[in-house]
Amino acid sequence: MDYQNLLVSEANGVLTLTLNRPERLNAFTRDLLDELLAAFEAARSATSVRAVVLTGAGRGFCAGADLVAGSEAMMQEAAFSYSAMLKRHYNPLILLMRSLPKPILAAVNGVAAGAGMSLALACDLRLAAESASFTQAFVKVGLVPDSGSTWFLPKLVGPARALELMMTGRRVTADEALALGLANRVTPDSNLLAVTQEMAEGLASGPTVALGLIKAAYEFGVESSLAAALDYEADAQDVAGASTDHAEGVTAFLSKRSPSFRGA
Ligand code: LHQ
């Protein structure tokens, strides 16, 4: 696919997707969302891709819905509705990211606002540059959190803090995001991509089948009863146990050497 709003590169098992509308802090248009969806679909089937990094070009990560494009569409399209827009372009992307059986790391290089913050929350790990920030900007323009923020945020920071962030829309610095459990790590601005790539390569050289199952089992576990989670884990263990990487992991342990996982 020929991407107009996205930069795509691959190195050492890591696919990097860079949102590329820097003049609008990488705010979402339908085209950008559709390109992201296509890129994640391609990442799902590409066996060479074993981890994905998501970042933004310029000084922003993603400023959420493009309010200029949104108001133009509202004026021009009689049938325009936020609900239809979310269900058609945003929600499938968030669901695809959560079901992708490969780790997704957000390299949050600048502000992540509104649905741009939801995008960061939909990743498995968030590494933030010192100058990055997070804001549930929806309320500032009289909207409600969407693209998964109502689901992700309470799980990460707890209900009291989630409601505060959603109701005030206040901007959270990278250091506060780390303290709240929103970010996994904060790095100097100049190191963000190198540190993220290093971490992504570590995951990309891991047992990809198990990592995909960990993601699915985590998602299932947080929503289920203990009995159901135990069953899910047991079934997932059968699948992981049949992988060649499991055999390699055990052989390497017994031989007192580092495992060489192939991702199968
Ligand atoms: C922007 C944007 C932007 C366009 C900065 N759009 N141009 C989903 C789908 C369906 C329905 C509706 O809702 C949603 C979910 C949502 O995401 S709603 C929330 C939408 N996002 C926002 O409300 C955030 C709006 N932006 C801001 O509040 C600020 O720009 C932040 C806090 C992100 C950054 O502030 P600054 O660092 O001071 O940058 P800036 O405001 O100067 O922005 C730089 C440029 O980017 C500027 O353009 P200009 O031509 O003046 O240089 C902004 O107009 C443009 N920009 N966000 N969402």
Side-chain angles (χ1 to χ4, degrees):
M1 178 160 175
D2 196 14
Y3 298 103
Q4 305 299 320
N5 300 278
L6 208 55
L7 303 173
V8 179
S9 63
E10 191 180 327
N12 302 325
V14 178
L15 180 76
T16 298
L17 305 176
T18 305
L19 311 182
N20 193 26
R21 303 188 69 236
E23 67 290 352
R24 295 220 181 143
L25 304 181
N26 305 312
F28 286 126
T29 56
R30 281 183 270 209
D31 286 348
L32 172 55
L33 288 158
D34 293 347
E35 288 182 19
L36 262 181
L37 191 78
F40 275 111
E41 267 163 5
R44 178 192 282 278
S45 48
T47 49
S48 61
V49 173
R50 292 168 64 185
V52 180
V53 169
L54 189 56
T55 192
R59 72 175 178 90
F61 175 72
C62 175
D66 187 316
L67 298 173
V68 179
S71 45
E72 283 168 4
M74 225 182 272
M75 283 189 284
Q76 286 160 13
E77 299 167 27
F80 182 86
S81 98
Y82 279 165
S83 166
M85 176 82 166
L86 286 163
K87 288 177 180 168
R88 169 132 188 238
H89 297 280
Y90 288 74
N91 298 358
L93 170 66
I94 301 298
L95 290 172
L96 176 58
M97 289 170 69
R98 292 316 310 144
S99 67
L100 190 83
K102 301 173 183 182
I104 307 175
L105 298 85
V108 186
N109 54 301
V111 64
M117 179 166 172
S118 304
L119 182 75
L121 300 183
C123 296
D124 298 302
L125 302 171
R126 280 155 295 284
L127 288 83
E130 271 166 357
S131 68
S133 59
F134 298 80
T135 161
Q136 287 281 298
F138 311 91
V139 70
K140 301 266 190 187
V141 289
L143 288 175
V144 300
D146 63 28
S147 308
S149 269
T150 60
W151 196 88
F152 297 120
L153 203 51
K155 291 183 172 63
L156 287 167
V157 303
R161 286 158 166 168
L163 266 174
E164 183 211 324
L165 296 182
M166 291 192 281
M167 287 183 162
T168 64
R170 79 175 172 83
R171 218 158 150 173
V172 169
T173 63
D175 282 338
E176 188 185 355
L178 184 66
L180 286 174
L182 266 181
N184 296 83
R185 193 178 294 185
V186 176
T187 77
D189 288 9
S190 58
N191 282 355
L192 176 70
L193 288 182
V195 172
T196 310
Q197 179 71 20
E198 189 184 344
M199 192 168 184
E201 286 184 14
L203 291 165
S205 60
T208 304
V209 173
L211 287 167
L213 289 164
I214 288 170
K215 184 165 167 173
Y218 163 79
E219 207 89 326
F220 184 89
V222 290
E223 288 298 296
S224 72
S225 66
L226 174 60
L230 288 166
D231 270 351
Y232 194 99
E233 290 170 2
D235 292 342
Q237 209 62 292
D238 263 351
V239 180
S243 67
T244 51
D245 281 343
H246 169 56
E248 164 63 6
V250 174
T251 305
F253 174 77
L254 296 176
S255 322
K256 299 192 186 299
R257 63 167 171 81
S258 299
S260 175
F261 294 123
R262 299 211 324 263

